[in-house]
């Protein structure tokens, strides 16, 4: 039986001056007579002969090697392996063997040079919904000013921190969390191990969620205004933390001065056909503005307008660049519903504008991290580098939901076994370059979904399995505030409860697990930069290995009863011994003994 191994990391890839040395490992009785590397130069397919190495990397393993000239062609190097016998051929790709040539986007991909932000893969992100994380000691009464929320049709509501969240007035109910509150809690976040923050929108807006922007150049006074954000930026920099803002550029709020539905300013586009911002929105024949998904309070921005493009991202002092420059010096943008952004009330020329946002951000801050919100397939944006990364709902969150919580994003039942789960996850990441995989934004849940703890229901014992997966799968992990202490909640608004700061309300065991896993991730280059190979996926058990140079990290997830599994023999597992770092499993003589409902991590020695 023929077996092949290749991951787009060392020891299978090494750069030697201007050459990229690529190695394929083979075992079996009927080895190919020749092997060629299918590579490309400026999108043109080319075949490079691979040379069989005399020295074996491991006993019984044959190595074939070829080199790519990195001074030619595009930085994204796509390649696969063509194995030849006298009467047949076989191809090898990230998803295994194929009897016919693979599609271009089904091949291995590695970026040399890698032009993406180099700092991202080292981070542990923490997502904060500002109103619900922490109320500052310095908060002043003016921040709790009552006003009429036009979209809701009533005055906003203020509640005490411990008051329960209800289904009523979800977008108009405030608990008083603010940016100075985040500053005061940075010691807690640092102790947890967090190194980067992603904030839901902070700009002036009438709702609690702030996705109905009223002023893109002013921080909401309820959160403390510009001075509070500047204090937070200075405090995060002192702690060595990165800070990402939420950019809502698909639509504005109808109270924005550009639109001004409620006649609070002069010259707004809603009631004035002669407004200088009239072409920043789309109107139908009856003069009604086209909105986002039927929400009249969220009129769509129309990027047919050159002056809107200049204001949002094109100009030197555009909104995108403004917040990335001093004194703010933010580290990047998360782009809200960015796949829907475009022209004429829809998504026409979407890729052009998303790429424009990213390019503009890099002009202001070359190492800016720009990632999009995509509940669907984000790969078309990533494959053309319109974004650095995406919220990895489709490639991480949803497969994990199906396997551990038996649900999909529509909260419909979905029961999948380990093989289906891993095929789904491997298929999704196969067309992304290795560096892109390492920057994918992985979460168990967010402000737009139910908390994963609540999704589990009676299977809540599986929660540690998901947390372990979050910190060991390729991608940058992000914790939604409160998950680490056991905060629960169904879909919006219940997933946006206030953080329980009283110690007796926190799950200390879960918090300790998060801290241990973050520490393991920081200790291991394999967990941050390594390639990933699934070794076993059957019924209730998933086993995969992370590989970087000589480092090996073995991860086993078992959602079912106690069992023993035997992963396929692999030279990737050739270590002296496995040292258990997390969990209670046993790895010995090629057999994994796994306790019921468990997650285990071993480091190879």
């Amino acid at each position: 039986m023929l077996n092949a191994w290749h991951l787009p990391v060392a020891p299978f890839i090494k750069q030697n001056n201007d050459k990229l040395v690529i190695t394929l490992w083979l075992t079996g009785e009927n080895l190919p007579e020749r092997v060629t590397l299918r590579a490309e130069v400026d999108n043109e397919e080319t075949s490079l002969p691979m040379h069989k190495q005399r020295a074996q990397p491991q006993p019984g393993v044959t190595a074939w090697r070829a080199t790519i000239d990195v001074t030619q062609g595009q930085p994204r190097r796509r390649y696969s392996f063509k194995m030849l016998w006298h009467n047949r051929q076989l191809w090898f790709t990230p998803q295994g063997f194929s009897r016919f040539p693979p599609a271009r986007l089904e091949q291995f991909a590695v970026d040399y040079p890698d032009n993406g932000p180099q700092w991202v893969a080292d981070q542990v992100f923490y997502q904060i919904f500002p109103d619900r994380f922490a109320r500052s000691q310095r908060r002043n009464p003016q921040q709790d000013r009552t006003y009429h929320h036009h979209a809701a049709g009533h005055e906003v509501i203020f509640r005490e921190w411990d008051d329960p969240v209800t289904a009523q007035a979800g977008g108009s109910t405030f608990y008083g969390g603010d940016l100075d509150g985040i500053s005061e809690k940075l010691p807690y976040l640092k102790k947890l191990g967090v190194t980067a923050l992603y904030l839901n929108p902070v700009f002036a807006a009438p709702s609690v969620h702030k996705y109905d922007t009223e002023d893109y150049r002013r921080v909401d006074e309820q959160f403390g205004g510009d001075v509070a954000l500047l204090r937070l930026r200075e405090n995060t920099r002192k702690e060595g933390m990165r800070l990402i803002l939420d950019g809502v550029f698909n639509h504005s709020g109808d109270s924005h001065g550009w639109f001004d539905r409620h006649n609070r300013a002069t010259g707004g586009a809603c009631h004035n056909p002669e407004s200088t911002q009239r072409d920043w929105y789309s109107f139908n024949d009856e003069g009604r503005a086209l909105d986002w998904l039927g929400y009249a309070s969220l009129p769509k921005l129309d990027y047919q307008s050159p002056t809107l493009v200049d204001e949002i991202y094109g100009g030197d002092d555009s909104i995108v660049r403004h917040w990335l420059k001093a004194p703010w010096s933010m580290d990047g943008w998360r782009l809200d519903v960015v796949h829907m952004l475009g022209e004429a009330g829809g998504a026409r020329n979407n890729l052009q504008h998303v790429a424009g946002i990213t390019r503009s951000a890099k002009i202001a801050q070359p190492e800016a991290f720009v990632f999009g919100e995509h509940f669907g397939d984000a790969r078309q944006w990533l494959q053309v580098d319109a974004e650095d990364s995406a919220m990895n709902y489709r490639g991480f969150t949803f497969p994990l939901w199906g396997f551990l919580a038996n649900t999909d994003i529509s909260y419909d039942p979905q029961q999948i076994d380990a093989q289906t789960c891993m095929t789904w996850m491997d298929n999704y990441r196969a067309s992304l370059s290795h560096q892109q995989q390492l920057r994918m934004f992985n979460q168990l849940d967010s402000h737009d979904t139910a908390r994963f703890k609540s999704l589990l229901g009676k299977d809540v014992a599986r929660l540690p399995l998901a947390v372990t997966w979050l910190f060991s799968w390729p991608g940058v992990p992000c914790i939604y505030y409160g998950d680490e202490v056991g905060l629960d909640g169904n879909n919006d608004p219940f997933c946006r409860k206030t953080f329980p700061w009283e110690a007796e309300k926190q799950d200390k065991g879960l918090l300790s697990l998060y801290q241990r896993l973050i520490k393991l991730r920081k200790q291991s280059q394999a967990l941050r930069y390594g390639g990933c190979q699934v070794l076993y996926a059957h019924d209730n058990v998933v086993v995969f290995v992370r590989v970087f140079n000589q480092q090996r990290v073995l991860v086993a997830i078992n959602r079912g009863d106690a069992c023993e599994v035997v992963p396929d023999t692999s030279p990737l597992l050739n270590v002296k011994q496995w040292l258990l770092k997390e969990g209670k499993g046993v790895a010995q003589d090629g057999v994994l003994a796994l306790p019921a409902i468990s997650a285990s991590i071993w480091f190879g020695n």
Side-chain angles (χ1 to χ4, degrees):
M1 180 179 178
L2 182 67
N3 287 303
W5 292 273
H6 177 83
L7 293 171
V9 294
F12 297 98
I13 285 186
K14 293 184 179 180
Q15 187 168 6
N16 184 7
N17 296 321
D18 291 337
K19 303 294 183 182
L20 197 62
V21 182
I22 297 179
T23 303
L24 175 70
W25 289 359
L26 295 174
T27 65
E29 296 179 357
N30 188 17
L31 295 175
E33 298 162 10
R34 291 187 293 128
V35 180
T36 62
L37 181 71
R38 183 277 186 200
E40 58 187 35
V41 176
D42 293 333
N43 302 326
E44 175 69 13
E45 291 189 24
T46 182
S47 293
L48 302 174
M50 299 194 77
H51 302 285
K52 186 177 179 180
Q53 303 301 294
R54 293 181 179 179
Q56 292 183 323
Q58 293 184 23
V61 177
T62 301
W64 292 76
R65 187 167 292 162
T67 59
I68 293 177
D69 184 352
V70 296
T71 64
Q72 300 181 28
Q74 299 180 76
R76 180 145 304 141
R77 317 287 170 174
R78 297 189 185 276
Y79 60 93
S80 56
F81 302 96
K82 183 180 183 182
M83 287 160 281
L84 292 156
W85 292 261
H86 74 282
N87 62 349
R88 63 188 178 97
Q89 62 180 249
L90 198 61
W91 294 78
F92 184 66
T93 72
Q95 298 185 79
F97 292 114
S98 171
R99 294 191 179 277
F100 56 87
R104 182 168 182 263
L105 298 180
E106 294 176 354
Q107 303 186 62
F108 294 100
V110 63
D111 295 333
Y112 277 95
D114 175 21
N115 297 320
Q118 300 299 302
W119 55 271
V120 173
D122 285 319
Q123 307 307 307
V124 172
F125 271 87
Y126 193 86
Q127 179 190 347
I128 295 177
F129 193 83
D131 182 68
R132 307 292 164 83
F133 181 63
R135 184 182 178 101
S136 66
Q137 297 178 7
R138 65 191 300 168
R139 188 176 179 89
N140 65 67
Q142 184 60 24
Q143 289 177 252
D144 296 325
R145 177 180 56 85
T146 300
Y147 58 89
H148 188 76
H149 187 186
H150 288 277
H154 55 70
E155 301 289 294
V156 296
I157 299 166
F158 292 93
R159 290 193 171 144
E160 295 299 319
W161 197 256
D162 293 327
D163 288 347
V165 172
T166 69
Q168 295 179 324
S172 313
T173 301
F174 294 83
Y175 284 79
D178 53 29
L179 299 178
D180 284 322
I182 299 173
S183 282
E184 291 170 7
K185 298 300 183 182
L186 290 182
Y188 162 80
L189 294 172
K190 189 168 185 178
K191 184 178 179 182
L192 175 60
V194 168
T195 60
L197 304 182
Y198 149 49
L199 307 183
N200 287 108
V202 299
F203 304 122
S207 71
V208 69
H209 52 71
K210 308 298 178 194
Y211 284 99
D212 47 350
T213 313
E214 191 170 282
D215 189 340
Y216 290 97
R217 295 182 183 270
R218 179 169 58 88
V219 177
D220 201 295
E221 293 300 326
Q222 289 174 309
F223 293 162
D226 289 4
V227 292
L229 182 60
L230 195 56
R231 282 192 291 268
L232 178 59
R233 171 71 286 195
E234 291 169 351
N235 291 331
T236 52
R237 294 182 84 168
K238 289 177 184 176
E239 298 292 351
M241 289 185 183
R242 303 282 184 162
L243 187 57
I244 301 288
L245 297 181
D246 204 330
V248 189
F249 305 134
N250 170 70
H251 53 267
S252 74
D254 65 355
S255 61
H256 197 297
W258 299 343
F259 193 79
D260 193 26
R261 182 188 301 279
H262 311 295
N263 292 306
R264 297 166 58 193
T266 57
C270 181
H271 306 296
N272 182 7
E274 305 304 318
S275 168
T276 56
Q277 282 89 34
R278 183 75 174 187
D279 69 344
W280 292 15
Y281 300 91
S282 299
F283 294 84
N284 63 18
D285 293 340
E286 288 76 41
R288 184 180 66 83
L290 304 184
D291 55 45
W292 180 66
L293 297 182
Y295 294 99
S297 62
L298 303 176
K300 280 268 292 185
L301 293 168
D302 187 350
Y303 285 83
Q304 285 185 112
S305 168
T307 52
L308 175 67
V309 168
D310 192 63
E311 173 68 15
I312 296 292
Y313 70 83
D316 184 58
D317 193 37
S318 62
I319 292 160
V320 165
R321 297 190 204 177
H322 173 80
W323 297 100
L324 300 179
K325 295 179 180 180
W328 312 101
S329 302
M330 297 298 166
D331 292 297
W333 290 99
R334 177 264 194 189
L335 302 177
D336 181 61
V337 291
V338 69
H339 52 284
M340 302 184 75
L341 177 152
E343 302 174 3
R348 193 173 73 192
N349 289 327
N350 172 267
L351 278 172
Q352 168 190 324
H353 294 294
V354 177
I357 290 172
T358 300
R359 284 195 301 268
S360 183
K362 306 291 185 180
I363 291 172
Q365 169 55 273
E367 280 287 290
F369 180 38
V370 182
F371 62 101
E373 178 201 22
H374 301 273
F375 274 85
D377 190 344
R379 288 175 294 183
Q380 65 173 309
W381 288 268
L382 298 170
Q383 287 157 353
V384 297
D385 295 310
E387 304 164 347
D388 292 318
S389 171
M391 298 182 79
N392 202 13
Y393 287 112
R394 184 62 67 93
F396 176 78
T397 310
F398 296 160
L400 189 144
W401 280 18
F403 182 64
L404 295 179
N406 301 321
T407 188
D408 69 5
I409 183 55
S410 300
Y411 306 106
D412 293 326
Q414 182 181 42
Q415 297 189 15
I416 60 176
D417 60 12
Q419 184 176 9
T420 303
C421 180
M422 301 321 295
T423 299
W424 182 351
M425 295 174 87
D426 275 351
N427 172 269
Y428 191 81
R429 67 189 181 95
S431 60
L432 302 179
S433 75
H434 174 67
Q435 286 83 355
Q436 286 178 313
Q437 292 180 38
L438 299 182
R439 286 191 281 265
M440 291 300 283
F441 203 77
N442 294 342
Q443 292 184 277
L444 301 180
D445 45 32
S446 74
H447 66 291
D448 282 325
T449 74
R451 298 266 181 175
F452 187 70
K453 180 179 179 180
S454 294
L455 290 177
L456 286 170
K458 62 181 177 59
D459 291 319
V460 70
R462 294 178 176 179
L463 183 55
L465 282 60
V467 178
T468 303
W469 214 329
L470 175 66
F471 287 97
S472 55
W473 191 253
V476 57
C478 180
I479 306 163
Y480 182 41
Y481 80 97
D483 275 0
E484 76 278 13
V485 294
L487 198 59
D488 61 4
N490 292 319
N491 207 0
D492 174 21
F494 301 101
C495 57
R496 304 174 182 181
K497 294 179 179 179
T498 55
F499 191 100
W501 289 108
E502 299 89 345
E504 62 272 15
K505 295 181 179 180
Q506 299 180 0
D507 184 336
K508 294 299 184 182
L510 185 61
L511 178 60
S512 177
L513 174 64
Y514 271 89
Q515 290 173 315
R516 294 195 306 273
L517 290 169
I518 291 172
K519 185 176 181 180
L520 283 183
R521 179 180 169 82
K522 291 179 179 179
Q523 289 174 352
S524 171
Q525 289 182 308
L527 288 177
R528 301 195 310 278
Y529 314 134
C532 181
Q533 181 77 51
V534 176
L535 301 171
Y536 184 93
H538 181 71
D539 197 10
N540 295 317
V541 178
V542 168
V543 181
F544 57 90
V545 63
R546 300 293 303 277
V547 175
F548 188 77
N549 285 318
Q550 302 306 312
Q551 293 185 24
R552 303 288 186 271
V553 178
L554 186 63
V555 182
I557 309 289
N558 176 22
R559 71 178 182 184
D561 296 333
C563 63
E564 290 187 348
V565 301
V566 182
D568 291 338
T569 301
S570 170
L572 300 179
L573 301 180
N574 190 6
V575 300
K576 293 180 180 178
Q577 62 177 350
W578 292 103
L579 302 177
L580 185 66
K581 293 292 186 175
E582 181 59 48
K584 297 181 179 179
V586 176
Q588 192 171 3
D589 299 327
V591 179
L592 302 181
L594 307 177
I597 312 179
S598 65
S600 305
I601 298 177
W602 296 267
F603 282 14
N605 185 19

